[in-house]
Amino acid sequence: MSNSSLAFVFPGQGSQKIGMLSDAAEAFPIIKDVFAEASDALDYDMWDLIQNGEQDAINLTEKTQPILMTSSVALWNVWKQENGAMPAVMAGHSLGEFTALVCAGSLAFSDALKLVRARGQFMQSAVPVGIGAMAAIIGVDDQAIVDICADVAGDECVQAVNFNSPGQVVIAGHAGAVDRAIVKLKEAGAKRAMPLPVSAPFHTDLMRPAGEKLAVELENIAINTPAIPVIHNVHAQIEADPAKIKGLLIEQIYSPVKWTSCVQTMVSQGTELLIECGPGKVLSGLAKRIHKPLTASAIEQPDTLRQQVADLSA
């Protein structure tokens, strides 16, 4: 039975680190089973890579995307195995939206793994390494960021691409245009404007070729109506129609991630507890900034996961 005040969220790129989920795997053997399934689907030992590999290797987007999806799906399987309460709604940040659809029963795990690996390759090939950049901007009004990006773009591209929480927005585009925007945003009072260690300018118009290639991949993939409603990044609304979900997954590659709005939609539907299912605590941290009364928790660690299961069944 679902808990009407519970939402699950799934992280996107940036939460990966060597050694992640090692404690969880010791406590819950099902974690390694899920990684074995993913490794079989993609023909490399994913668990060995995230435990013993190099950070540079897991930061390559075609590796990062399947790794993070597998980590989140593994923790979701643990949650179900421990008889955790079912959420009333789900969402994922960028890549995490694909993970949410897997956990909601809309997309088969093996299909999704191949899809996000291809998505990573398409996103990387759309803009050669070194041409694009992303930067996090703290402390400037959302609309002011949008306007400054438009002012400095010129013949290049720079856009606000992740609306992560009020006062925290990521911009992306051509490296030179991003640099120009950083200068102007600092003049406009940005507390911080820092380049991000990513390999391509995600969620910009420069990703339209990647969207076209993803559309071809999606033609051969079955999508079902999610058993648990999923809120989508593009418009921060729930979509049940599989054909429209495919369209949103394509559009998402070159559209801003409206994360603040996604969380506000959850709150409007009665969410009081938000659980981050995956490595790290990025989204649970953002949740409190978006809506202070929200309770937010991350379940990467076994003791936290068990405690949350117990609290919700009490």
Side-chain angles (χ1 to χ4, degrees), residues 21-60:
L21 265 62
S22 54
D23 293 346
E26 279 185 31
F28 306 112
I30 193 175
I31 297 263
K32 286 193 181 173
D33 294 343
V34 175
F35 271 88
E37 184 183 341
S39 298
D40 286 347
L42 298 183
D43 294 327
Y44 65 91
D45 189 334
M46 194 182 282
W47 183 255
D48 182 63
L49 178 63
I50 66 166
Q51 297 306 316
N52 308 308
E54 298 292 330
Q55 187 70 34
D56 285 351
I58 67 167
N59 284 351
L60 286 169

